[in-house]
Amino acid sequence: MLKSHAIGAALIALAISAAWLLPAIASDYVSRICLLMALNGIFVLSLALTNGFTGVFSLGHVGFIAVGAYASGILSLSVQQKSALLPNLPFLIAQMHLGFFPATIVAGLIAAALAVIVGFPLMRLSGNFVSVATMGFLIIVNVVLINASDFTRGARTFTGVPVDANLVWAVGWLAITFYILWRLVHSPFGRAMKSVRDDQLAASAVGISVLRTRLTAFVVGAFFAGVGGSIFAHYLGSFSPKTFYFAMTMNIVAMLVLGGMGSLSGALIGVVCISQITEVLRSVERGFTIGALEVPAVFGASQIILGFIFIVVMIFRPKGIMGDREFTLGSKARQ
């Protein structure tokens, strides 16, 4: 046990060191792409815990990202900024100011607490019912963000958030998220999650609580989603409710499904693949010339091509690139 923790700490330190060195040897464009991939990695990994290992296909995960982003944004604004931008905040919140790290932790805890409240009834559902219900949660979060103007500025851009997030923070939290979820998935609790996913009746027959198992995974995933939302907010500096809606949901789900819903390493592979394909297709979308052949700019072409690629992959590889397998430090992937 001690040896595995030491290896995990060493790998986290290695990832942080690489992220610290990268801006010195790579362009700002490469650093930005790596930062966005790290953020998407946190989002997709936190979603994978529920969608891939408990059999609950949630479409409301971005709601927790939004809660984390706004909670951290409000807490990290200075008292003077709150007075100018959010004059109707409750006195206690208006006088509270937290730094980036504590605001991130609090944002994750708020998202986790919300997941307990929401998850207790929703995790009793299965199949298409839970997917529709979690999508309803996402819609509710969006409506609340738009209407709670005293806290969120409504549909207007929420601005003034300190831009404190960088590649080191994003990669560091990605490494921590991956390590904790890896330990969780490959523990007795992880085996309980897979049992609930594969056969609820059999799991219940051997004493596994389906609700408790699903709810725990849902809450843990929501915590890391809230953390990722905080980092995203402190990277953007300004955002609005439409930032955290269906477009982000579909993007995250596509990354997870492409990489493999039952694989944490597959989730990261899906993030890398779609991120790189998207960047290449953006260049194609602007048009290009090869000899006498001139292809004009076509707005939206990248999304069409990406959707076609996704359909082809799902036809010939319905379980995604990795399926339920995981990469290990050895040469082979394991189940």
Side-chain angles (χ1 to χ4, degrees):
M1 179 67 70
L2 184 61
K3 181 180 178 181
S4 63
H5 285 311
I7 294 174
L11 292 175
I12 292 173
L14 180 62
I16 293 174
S17 299
W20 181 70
L21 290 172
L22 183 63
I25 60 177
S27 65
D28 290 341
Y29 172 76
V30 172
S31 298
R32 182 179 65 84
I33 295 301
C34 291
L35 190 152
L36 291 174
M37 284 196 296
L39 280 173
N40 282 323
I42 297 173
F43 299 153
V44 176
L45 285 174
S46 56
L47 177 61
L49 192 63
T50 300
N51 285 27
F53 293 96
T54 65
V56 174
F57 195 84
S58 172
L59 292 175
H61 194 67
V62 171
F64 298 116
I65 299 174
V67 169
Y70 274 92
S72 178
I74 294 171
L75 293 172
S76 60
L77 290 177
S78 67
V79 176
Q80 293 76 16
Q81 286 177 306
K82 290 176 184 177
S83 177
L85 298 173
L86 303 168
N88 297 319
L89 279 176
F91 178 78
L92 182 61
I93 300 177
Q95 298 302 312
M96 186 182 299
H97 172 66
L98 298 179
F100 174 39
F101 180 73
T104 297
I105 298 299
V106 173
L109 293 175
I110 291 174
L114 179 60
V116 173
I117 299 171
V118 173
F120 192 77
L122 295 190
M123 292 302 103
R124 299 174 183 272
L125 304 175
S126 298
N128 298 331
F129 302 104
V130 70
S131 298
V132 173
T134 51
M135 181 182 292
F137 164 71
L138 174 62
I139 295 172
I140 290 172
V141 169
N142 184 261
V143 172
V144 170
L145 291 177
I146 292 174
N147 287 277
S149 56
D150 290 347
F151 292 86
T152 65
R153 304 192 76 232
R156 295 175 294 170
T157 300
F158 189 99
T159 188
V161 180
V163 185
D164 295 327
N166 55 28
L167 184 60
V168 174
W169 278 105
V171 171
W173 271 109
L174 173 62
I176 292 170
T177 303
F178 184 83
Y179 176 70
I180 292 176
L181 297 188
W182 179 279
R183 297 288 303 178
L184 190 63
V185 166
H186 295 90
S187 69
F189 178 75
R191 290 191 288 273
M193 287 194 296
K194 294 175 184 177
S195 298
V196 169
R197 176 193 65 187
D198 296 337
D199 195 324
Q200 293 182 40
L201 292 178
S204 299
V206 297
I208 297 174
S209 172
V210 174
L211 175 61
R212 185 170 62 246
T213 301
R214 286 179 167 181
L215 183 59
T216 301
F218 193 64
V219 171
V220 173
F223 171 80
F224 286 108
V227 167
S230 173
I231 300 171
F232 194 44
H234 285 269
Y235 165 68
L236 293 176
S238 302
F239 46 87
S240 66
K242 66 180 181 181
T243 305
F244 309 97
Y245 211 29
F246 287 123
M248 178 180 277
T249 297
M250 294 301 104
N251 190 48
I252 293 173
V253 170
M255 290 176 178
L256 177 60
V257 174
L258 179 65
M261 292 181 59
S263 170
L264 294 178
S265 51
L268 294 183
I269 291 173
V271 170
V272 173
C273 288
I274 288 188
S275 298
Q276 295 303 314
I277 291 173
T278 300
E279 289 303 314
V280 172
L281 292 178
R282 280 177 182 169
S283 299
V284 174
E285 191 175 63
R286 291 192 291 266
F288 58 92
T289 302
I290 301 178
L293 176 64
E294 181 176 348
V295 178
V298 180
F299 179 76
S302 63
Q303 297 301 313
I304 295 173
I305 297 173
L306 186 61
F308 178 75
I309 293 174
F310 188 71
I311 291 172
V312 171
V313 171
M314 289 300 97
I315 291 175
F316 295 100
R317 190 78 178 180
K319 290 187 176 181
I321 295 172
M322 291 296 294
D324 293 335
R325 298 175 298 167
E326 297 282 6
F327 275 121
T328 64
L329 295 177
S331 59
K332 296 181 179 181
R334 72 179 185 185
Q335 295 288 344

